[in-house]
Amino acid sequence: MSLIQRIDALLPQTQCGKCGHDGCRPYAEGLAMGEAINKCPPGGNETIAALATLLQVPVIALDPQRPPGPSQVAFIREAECIGCTKCIQACPVDAIVGAAKLMHTVIAHECTGCDLCVAPCPVDCIDLLPLPTNVIPIVGGLAHTAEQHLARTRRRDKARHRHLQREARLRREEAQRQSQRQARQQPLDNEAALKQAKIAAAMSRAQLSKARGALGSTPDAQQLAQLTALETAAEQARLHLEALQPHAGT
């Protein structure tokens, strides 16, 4: 594994942003560049010690501006949920299920306790509760045996995978939205271009007609050259308009 991957493997994968980054992987990238090892509250002293060993730097105390919190899980009071989907959009691991205008539910064994869903809730119906005994803790300091460490590692790997899947899904959805916007914009662009072409063709015809009417019975060479130029311009404007006409109906 690369250094960044090895660092990321030591992080709790809560994706909570309490380190100042958008997730564990960006913090791992910062750590590889020399960022302080004490910015991960969910990882706590255990993660600090592991990072110090890996990066061969001194162990330091957890940043006091980032105090650790208890192992927790989000819980939605479903009777009060209005189905706004804001918590679903905020969850970094897609641990909340539901649909617009329907109640939402937290999948407890997938929730990382990041608390990112709490603030967006407009009706304040989300509580952070102690982690149930049947849910494996994802944060540091709660795995003591080899079996517990293995179970936690598997849960962190799953949380990382869910986060990466979510990011990929968001990228696909954004690409689809951009494609739809472009598809909607194209007819408008074609319509505007067609309108301009019609105006240009009409003006060219008017200028040509005016020039022909102004010619005397014996036009000189300069007048004939001007007339030829106007005829060429009118023909080009006509051809341009014809070229745009098929696109106008699509």
Side-chain angles (χ1 to χ4, degrees), residues 85-208:
T85 75
K86 292 184 182 298
C87 60
I88 293 178
Q89 297 170 39
C91 180
V93 293
D94 282 341
I96 303 177
V97 294
K101 298 183 180 179
L102 296 174
M103 70 178 186
H104 306 333
T105 300
V106 176
I107 307 172
H109 62 273
E110 301 293 359
C111 175
T112 65
C114 68
D115 79 22
L116 293 176
C117 59
V118 175
C121 179
V123 293
D124 195 23
C125 71
I126 302 178
D127 298 319
L128 292 173
L129 304 179
L131 196 70
T133 56
N134 64 337
V135 177
I136 299 169
I138 199 171
V139 300
L142 297 179
H144 306 292
T145 67
E147 183 179 0
Q148 290 172 341
H149 275 280
L150 179 59
R152 187 185 65 183
T153 297
R154 288 173 176 169
R155 181 157 185 236
R156 287 181 174 183
D157 289 344
K158 189 175 182 181
R160 182 188 300 106
H161 179 65
R162 290 180 69 89
H163 181 60
L164 293 175
Q165 282 188 316
R166 176 180 183 271
E167 288 189 324
R169 173 177 59 80
L170 293 178
R171 287 193 294 269
R172 290 194 303 270
E173 291 175 352
E174 178 57 27
Q176 184 178 15
R177 284 192 292 270
Q178 290 183 358
S179 177
Q180 291 172 343
R181 283 195 293 267
Q182 291 173 356
R184 290 193 298 268
Q185 184 63 36
Q186 190 62 42
L188 297 177
D189 293 342
N190 290 339
E191 184 178 347
L194 179 61
K195 183 177 180 180
Q196 292 178 352
K198 287 180 178 179
I199 294 173
M203 291 180 63
S204 294
R205 289 195 302 270
Q207 290 174 346
L208 178 60

Side-chain angles (χ1 to χ4, degrees), residues 16 28 54 57 80-81 115 118 156 161 175 178 227 244:
C16 62
L54 174 63
V57 296
E80 302 172 35
C81 176
D115 79 22
V118 175
R156 287 181 174 183
H161 179 65
Q178 290 183 358
L227 180 61
L244 291 176

Side-chain angles (χ1 to χ4, degrees), residues 1 4 10 17 45-46 121-122 156 168 180 218 237:
M1 292 191 296
I4 293 174
L10 298 177
N45 293 329
E46 177 188 328
C121 179
R156 287 181 174 183
Q180 291 172 343
T218 56

